Amino acid sequence: MNLDYIIPNNWSIIEEGFDPKHIKASESIFSIGNGAMGQRANFEEKYSGDTFQGSYIGGVYYPDKTRVGWWKNGYPEYFAKVLNAPNWIGINIIINNEELDLNKCKEVLHFKRELNMKEGWLSRSFIATLQNNIQIKVETKRFLSMDLDELGAIQYNITPLNSNANITYIPYIDSNIKNEDSNWDDQFWETYQTENNKNESFLLSKTLKTDFHVCTYMSSQIYLNAKRINKEPKINKEEKHISHSYSLSVNQRETISIHKYGGYTVNRNHKKEDLITIAKNNLNEAKKTGFSKLFENQKKAWSAIWETADIEIKGDIKAQQGIRFNIFQLNQTYTGKDAGLNIGPKGFTGEKYGGSTYWDTEAYCLPFYMATKNQKVAENLLTYRYNHLQKAIENAQKLGFKNGAALYPMVTMNGEECHNEWEITFEEIHRNGAIAFAIYNYHRYTNDYSYIPKKGLEVLIGIARFWHQRANFSKAKNQYVILGVTGPNEYENNVNNNWYTNYLAKWCIDYAIENINKIKEEYNTDYTRILNKTKLSNIEITKWKEVADNLYFPYSKELEIYLQQDGFLDKELTTVANLDKSERPINQKWSWDRILRSPYIKQADVLQGMYFFEDHFSNQQIKKHFDFYEPFTVHESSLSPCVHSILASKLNKKEQAYNFYLRTSRLDLDDYNHEVEEGLHITSMAGTWLSIVEGFGGMRIQNNQLSFATKIPEQWSSYSFKINFRNRVIQVLVNKEHTSFKLLKGASLSITNNNKLIELTPNNLISV
Ligand code: BGC
């Protein structure tokens, strides 16, 4: 679908005009979240048309039994599913005995939906004429509180326009819900208690198998012409559904309004016996504070986020809207308050990818959170994996590895692997490398080494052990090889010696050894503790080194190119330019075997490695590889264009860099991959941020120093961003004539731009 109905705007996503065809796409695009929970932009009132209902709670999942025809030993027991959680937003509306349903109205005029990214709220307004000829104006506002992350608030105003009307609001909570993707209509929730206390209601439900207990709650207040009226609701209580009914006679042109508060308390955060009590406290707090004050607080919370996270682009409103949309959604998905949570590829906007954690977090998201939030947030992301180390060791054991070798899962909710396509589960082992790389990246950026002796080294040891055992000696090659893998390019499976995987494997072992030596020298207590725990010996390290020093990398001398895998040059090397448009995307148009035999690359693979380890290669080498691989790349993963954009910027391919940038930044707003209805591509949004900051801004840490190499796309008149770097906030502004740097917070610092040294002192604007 072409989403050209989304109106360009600097700070908002706006849809005007009611079109049932857009409902599901808009439900994704206008999603809201606060890190702890999130929801698709479903209407509060009944909607009988085609819709995808979704409300999600961070960390609450269901282990769906995997059903595959051919069971393979080593498969995980289940596939994790993010659960559609009980609905607390519902408010049915009756106008003179007729239910409001936009799918059934005679006419819907002036429909407008706005997602205000600056202030963190979603609104809707329209004028509807019902079948009974009553015309009403509706204005709603909804947000999930960033401060009180178990709470959401809705304001729903109705004004009858052409006559007096009897208006009934029926706010409800409902746990009779299903997942879109449930097999055989499975129910994942069991509701075991309902409670009502005047106008407050509570549903206690638990998830089957995983035993997450959730209290879904609500309470409402009614206002007539903005004045509070005390009205007791009629309560209707069913097994999985509680509704309140408030009926009022409203004069023509008077405005009646309901303020509904609701949300979830979860036993991830509280004792299950306390869930209702805490929900009650939340409701009391909400009602005492009131919608307006909560709304003000929401604006303040978002203003604080934008303070460092914003990127301003002048002269290109679509690019501006795109980047803010990405930054906004990333902040709605993960706030970093809870080391038990992570960043699902679809965040809280859909069910696909099960809400689980992928290598996306380490490879793409970490730098964004590192530079736009305080350091603790990035550390929490690393700690998440540290806390799963034991499970990663057990996972490797199941596959026959020993002695504390760790294989992190490709997809996980709690540290266990929960994905079962053999070519991914068993073979896409490069994820282990990204997890080690994130530790390095964190230290490189923050200069905080303390994480490594505290926690990181144990992870590095587990990972090094895995690579050592996963490689085998090839007599024919007289080198170590890594056979039967899938690289980031999932359009080749079970290949031998994927260059990216081999390169990471060697690097991981070298990096683990480097840190073992450093910790031995400088952190003796930690060293002893880690040695005791891991039973690591010098003999073992020598064996790792033997593998790392003699690992094989497929290379073509003739082309001077590292090959994506041993057999890459055997393919018929026709480029993407030869593919007819009607055949794209190939993953929807071609059979799988045809894709596997083709030279087409789903996403950056060799180039992903050159991006990570840029300083291991000369510019000329990077250019050669870019020019070789880019023509075969179909970018059918949302994670691909950003890497190509960053490298194109580096190589001064400005137009290409800009085109890749646009593709990542408006991937969902323009629905490039024809799947926005299923949810947003949250993790690749971090890639968009990277395309600006590391791409056009050229930000790097080189020799422990912050450096830039700024460029500006033709289409922009200027752009600016801020980064949080080692207890400082630095603003970078780039326009056609110059780049300026300003140190907004923290102590003086030397940086470079295009290799020229710049001394930043507090609040001094330096233009170059
Ligand atoms: C990509 C993977 C990625 C996953 C989740 C897949 O399409 O190929 O690299 O981890 O999506 O974003």
Side-chain angles (χ1 to χ4, degrees), residues 345 353 358-360 410 428 488 490 602-603 637 639 683:
Y353 295 113
Y358 284 64
W359 70 302
D360 306 25
M410 183 67 186
E428 223 180 309
E490 292 173 343
K602 181 182 181 188
Q603 69 198 87
S637 160
L639 299 174
T683 44

Side-chain angles (χ1 to χ4, degrees), residues 49-61:
D50 201 14
T51 155
F52 171 5
Q53 297 288 312
S55 187
Y56 311 101
I57 305 172
V60 171
Y61 65 96

Side-chain angles (χ1 to χ4, degrees), residues 51 143 165 380 422 454 478 504 525 569 573 605 662 690 735:
T51 155
F143 61 89
N380 271 349
W422 63 268
K454 241 183 348 196
N478 198 26
L504 268 178
T525 327
L569 289 185
L573 294 174
D605 193 303
L662 267 194
L690 289 169
N735 64 24

